[in-house]
């Protein structure tokens, strides 16, 4: 903003000073933009690594839960068979 104030108060020499001031500001902004882009790239890479390290752990948990679910399904099936046999035995005894 300082360069813009000089432009308003004087003639062409101030205009050149304003231009060089704006060029300097532009360079600073371009450097800041490059730094931000680099930071974003780094964060994206880190995010990918975190996701990759997270998924194997989750996959193992899912596999473990599926095995346990299959075991529970077998136990439930056995219990149903036993209950059916007991009901049949009760019917035979009561008749």
């Amino acid at each position: 903003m300082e360069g813009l104030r000089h432009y308003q108060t004087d003639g062409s020499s101030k205009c050149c000073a304003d231009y060089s001031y704006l060029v300097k500001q532009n360079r600073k902004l371009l450097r800041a933009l490059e730094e931000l882009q680099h930071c974003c790239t780094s964060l994206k890479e880190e995010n990918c690594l975190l996701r990759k390290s997270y998924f194997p752990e989750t996959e193992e948990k899912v596999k473990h839960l599926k095995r346990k679910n299959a075991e529970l399904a077998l136990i439930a099936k056995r219990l149903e068979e036993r209950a059916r046999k007991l009901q049949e035995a009760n019917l035979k005894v009561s008749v």
Side-chain angles (χ1 to χ4, degrees), residues 18-89:
D18 288 339
Y19 178 76
S20 64
Y21 171 78
L22 292 173
V23 169
K24 287 178 187 176
Q25 287 295 96
N26 193 32
R27 279 191 211 128
K28 286 180 183 179
L29 290 172
L30 286 173
R31 269 187 254 131
L33 178 62
E34 287 176 8
E35 290 175 15
L36 285 173
Q37 287 173 334
H38 178 72
C39 183
C40 285
T41 302
S42 297
L43 288 172
K44 285 178 184 177
E45 289 172 1
E46 183 180 353
N47 191 22
C48 286
L49 290 173
L50 287 172
R51 286 182 183 203
K52 285 179 184 175
S53 68
Y54 172 77
F55 283 122
E57 181 180 305
T58 304
E59 287 177 21
E60 286 300 316
K61 286 181 182 179
V62 168
K63 287 178 184 176
H64 175 73
L65 289 172
K66 284 183 177 180
R67 273 183 264 141
K68 289 294 183 183
N69 191 33
E71 291 174 17
L72 288 173
L74 285 174
I75 292 170
K77 192 177 271 189
R78 288 182 196 151
L79 287 172
E80 287 173 0
E81 288 175 20
R82 286 183 187 171
R84 186 180 48 81
K85 288 180 182 178
L86 284 172
Q87 284 177 345
E88 288 173 2

